[in-house]
mmCIF file of all heavy atoms in Angstrom:
data_model
loop_
_atom_site.group_PDB
_atom_site.id
_atom_site.type_symbol
_atom_site.label_atom_id
_atom_site.label_comp_id
_atom_site.label_asym_id
_atom_site.label_seq_id
_atom_site.Cartn_x
_atom_site.Cartn_y
_atom_site.Cartn_z
ATOM 1 N N ILE M 76 2.862 12.246 -6.501
ATOM 2 C CA ILE M 76 4.058 13.060 -6.709
ATOM 3 C C ILE M 76 3.608 14.498 -6.953
ATOM 4 O O ILE M 76 2.756 14.753 -7.809
ATOM 5 C CB ILE M 76 4.881 12.566 -7.919
ATOM 6 C CG1 ILE M 76 5.351 11.129 -7.703
ATOM 7 C CG2 ILE M 76 6.074 13.490 -8.174
ATOM 8 C CD1 ILE M 76 6.027 10.504 -8.904
ATOM 9 N N GLY M 77 4.182 15.417 -6.195
ATOM 10 C CA GLY M 77 3.931 16.845 -6.405
ATOM 11 C C GLY M 77 5.154 17.451 -7.054
ATOM 12 O O GLY M 77 6.281 17.093 -6.715
ATOM 13 N N ILE M 78 4.936 18.344 -8.012
ATOM 14 C CA ILE M 78 6.058 18.939 -8.735
ATOM 15 C C ILE M 78 5.902 20.459 -8.785
ATOM 16 O O ILE M 78 4.833 20.968 -9.114
ATOM 17 C CB ILE M 78 6.146 18.416 -10.185
ATOM 18 C CG1 ILE M 78 6.288 16.896 -10.207
ATOM 19 C CG2 ILE M 78 7.292 19.084 -10.933
ATOM 20 C CD1 ILE M 78 6.192 16.286 -11.589
ATOM 21 N N THR M 79 6.969 21.146 -8.480
ATOM 22 C CA THR M 79 7.061 22.581 -8.748
ATOM 23 C C THR M 79 8.338 22.788 -9.544
ATOM 24 O O THR M 79 9.309 22.051 -9.371
ATOM 25 C CB THR M 79 7.051 23.421 -7.455
ATOM 26 O OG1 THR M 79 7.045 24.808 -7.811
ATOM 27 C CG2 THR M 79 8.241 23.132 -6.577
ATOM 28 N N ASN M 80 8.298 23.750 -10.455
ATOM 29 C CA ASN M 80 9.473 23.932 -11.308
ATOM 30 C C ASN M 80 9.722 25.405 -11.595
ATOM 31 O O ASN M 80 9.062 26.276 -11.040
ATOM 32 C CB ASN M 80 9.318 23.130 -12.601
ATOM 33 C CG ASN M 80 8.150 23.600 -13.440
ATOM 34 O OD1 ASN M 80 7.653 24.703 -13.289
ATOM 35 N ND2 ASN M 80 7.707 22.761 -14.347
ATOM 36 N N GLN M 81 10.640 25.668 -12.520
ATOM 37 C CA GLN M 81 11.024 27.036 -12.866
ATOM 38 C C GLN M 81 9.984 27.735 -13.744
ATOM 39 O O GLN M 81 10.148 28.892 -14.080
ATOM 40 C CB GLN M 81 12.365 27.025 -13.587
ATOM 41 C CG GLN M 81 13.505 26.496 -12.776
ATOM 42 C CD GLN M 81 14.806 26.610 -13.546
ATOM 43 O OE1 GLN M 81 15.095 27.613 -14.171
ATOM 44 N NE2 GLN M 81 15.598 25.555 -13.502
ATOM 45 N N ARG M 82 8.985 27.067 -14.142
ATOM 46 C CA ARG M 82 7.898 27.572 -14.973
ATOM 47 C C ARG M 82 8.354 28.119 -16.319
ATOM 48 O O ARG M 82 8.212 27.455 -17.319
ATOM 49 C CB ARG M 82 7.036 28.580 -14.223
ATOM 50 C CG ARG M 82 6.245 27.925 -13.099
ATOM 51 C CD ARG M 82 5.442 28.916 -12.323
ATOM 52 N NE ARG M 82 6.200 29.840 -11.517
ATOM 53 C CZ ARG M 82 6.681 29.583 -10.318
ATOM 54 N NH1 ARG M 82 6.524 28.405 -9.792
ATOM 55 N NH2 ARG M 82 7.320 30.502 -9.650
ATOM 56 N N GLU M 83 8.863 29.306 -16.401
ATOM 57 C CA GLU M 83 9.147 29.928 -17.691
ATOM 58 C C GLU M 83 10.541 29.644 -18.243
ATOM 59 O O GLU M 83 10.916 30.209 -19.259
ATOM 60 C CB GLU M 83 8.891 31.431 -17.623
ATOM 61 C CG GLU M 83 7.439 31.780 -17.380
ATOM 62 C CD GLU M 83 6.467 31.260 -18.439
ATOM 63 O OE1 GLU M 83 6.832 31.159 -19.629
ATOM 64 O OE2 GLU M 83 5.330 30.943 -18.070
ATOM 65 N N THR M 84 11.302 28.786 -17.596
ATOM 66 C CA THR M 84 12.540 28.316 -18.225
ATOM 67 C C THR M 84 12.112 27.426 -19.384
ATOM 68 O O THR M 84 11.209 26.610 -19.250
ATOM 69 C CB THR M 84 13.414 27.571 -17.210
ATOM 70 O OG1 THR M 84 13.887 28.521 -16.253
ATOM 71 C CG2 THR M 84 14.591 26.879 -17.873
ATOM 72 N N THR M 85 12.765 27.592 -20.543
ATOM 73 C CA THR M 85 12.285 26.963 -21.774
ATOM 74 C C THR M 85 13.354 26.064 -22.383
ATOM 75 O O THR M 85 14.512 26.463 -22.508
ATOM 76 C CB THR M 85 11.881 28.062 -22.782
ATOM 77 O OG1 THR M 85 10.916 28.913 -22.160
ATOM 78 C CG2 THR M 85 11.309 27.474 -24.047
ATOM 79 N N VAL M 86 12.924 24.864 -22.774
ATOM 80 C CA VAL M 86 13.812 23.927 -23.452
ATOM 81 C C VAL M 86 13.016 23.206 -24.537
ATOM 82 O O VAL M 86 11.806 23.002 -24.394
ATOM 83 C CB VAL M 86 14.442 22.911 -22.463
ATOM 84 C CG1 VAL M 86 13.403 22.023 -21.838
ATOM 85 C CG2 VAL M 86 15.522 22.080 -23.137
ATOM 86 N N ALA M 87 13.688 22.853 -25.627
ATOM 87 C CA ALA M 87 13.070 22.083 -26.703
ATOM 88 C C ALA M 87 13.891 20.811 -26.900
ATOM 89 O O ALA M 87 15.118 20.863 -26.951
ATOM 90 C CB ALA M 87 13.023 22.897 -27.990
ATOM 91 N N TRP M 88 13.180 19.685 -26.999
ATOM 92 C CA TRP M 88 13.832 18.384 -27.161
ATOM 93 C C TRP M 88 13.575 17.862 -28.575
ATOM 94 O O TRP M 88 12.489 18.028 -29.117
ATOM 95 C CB TRP M 88 13.256 17.382 -26.164
ATOM 96 C CG TRP M 88 13.424 17.785 -24.731
ATOM 97 C CD1 TRP M 88 12.587 18.575 -24.001
ATOM 98 C CD2 TRP M 88 14.478 17.416 -23.852
ATOM 99 N NE1 TRP M 88 13.071 18.720 -22.728
ATOM 100 C CE2 TRP M 88 14.226 18.019 -22.602
ATOM 101 C CE3 TRP M 88 15.628 16.637 -24.003
ATOM 102 C CZ2 TRP M 88 15.067 17.860 -21.507
ATOM 103 C CZ3 TRP M 88 16.465 16.473 -22.906
ATOM 104 C CH2 TRP M 88 16.186 17.085 -21.680
ATOM 105 N N ASP M 89 14.548 17.180 -29.136
ATOM 106 C CA ASP M 89 14.394 16.527 -30.430
ATOM 107 C C ASP M 89 13.582 15.252 -30.219
ATOM 108 O O ASP M 89 14.012 14.358 -29.488
ATOM 109 C CB ASP M 89 15.779 16.200 -31.005
ATOM 110 C CG ASP M 89 15.713 15.613 -32.397
ATOM 111 O OD1 ASP M 89 14.907 14.685 -32.627
ATOM 112 O OD2 ASP M 89 16.487 16.058 -33.259
ATOM 113 N N ARG M 90 12.424 15.182 -30.828
ATOM 114 C CA ARG M 90 11.545 14.023 -30.606
ATOM 115 C C ARG M 90 12.115 12.728 -31.166
ATOM 116 O O ARG M 90 11.721 11.648 -30.757
ATOM 117 C CB ARG M 90 10.148 14.279 -31.149
ATOM 118 C CG ARG M 90 10.067 14.373 -32.639
ATOM 119 C CD ARG M 90 8.642 14.549 -33.079
ATOM 120 N NE ARG M 90 8.583 14.987 -34.456
ATOM 121 C CZ ARG M 90 7.483 15.373 -35.041
ATOM 122 N NH1 ARG M 90 6.365 15.391 -34.369
ATOM 123 N NH2 ARG M 90 7.506 15.755 -36.291
ATOM 124 N N ASN M 91 13.049 12.834 -32.110
ATOM 125 C CA ASN M 91 13.650 11.630 -32.687
ATOM 126 C C ASN M 91 14.806 11.093 -31.856
ATOM 127 O O ASN M 91 14.979 9.884 -31.747
ATOM 128 C CB ASN M 91 14.114 11.906 -34.122
ATOM 129 C CG ASN M 91 12.958 12.236 -35.038
ATOM 130 O OD1 ASN M 91 11.934 11.555 -35.038
ATOM 131 N ND2 ASN M 91 13.099 13.300 -35.806
ATOM 132 N N THR M 92 15.608 11.999 -31.292
ATOM 133 C CA THR M 92 16.792 11.554 -30.554
ATOM 134 C C THR M 92 16.622 11.638 -29.040
ATOM 135 O O THR M 92 17.379 11.019 -28.302
ATOM 136 C CB THR M 92 18.018 12.413 -30.927
ATOM 137 O OG1 THR M 92 17.807 13.754 -30.470
ATOM 138 C CG2 THR M 92 18.266 12.398 -32.433
#
Side-chain angles (χ1 to χ4, degrees):
I76 299 173
I78 302 172
T79 184
N80 63 19
Q81 298 184 44
R82 292 178 291 278
E83 295 301 328
T84 292
T85 304
V86 64
W88 300 87
D89 184 312
R90 68 177 165 189
N91 296 313
T92 66

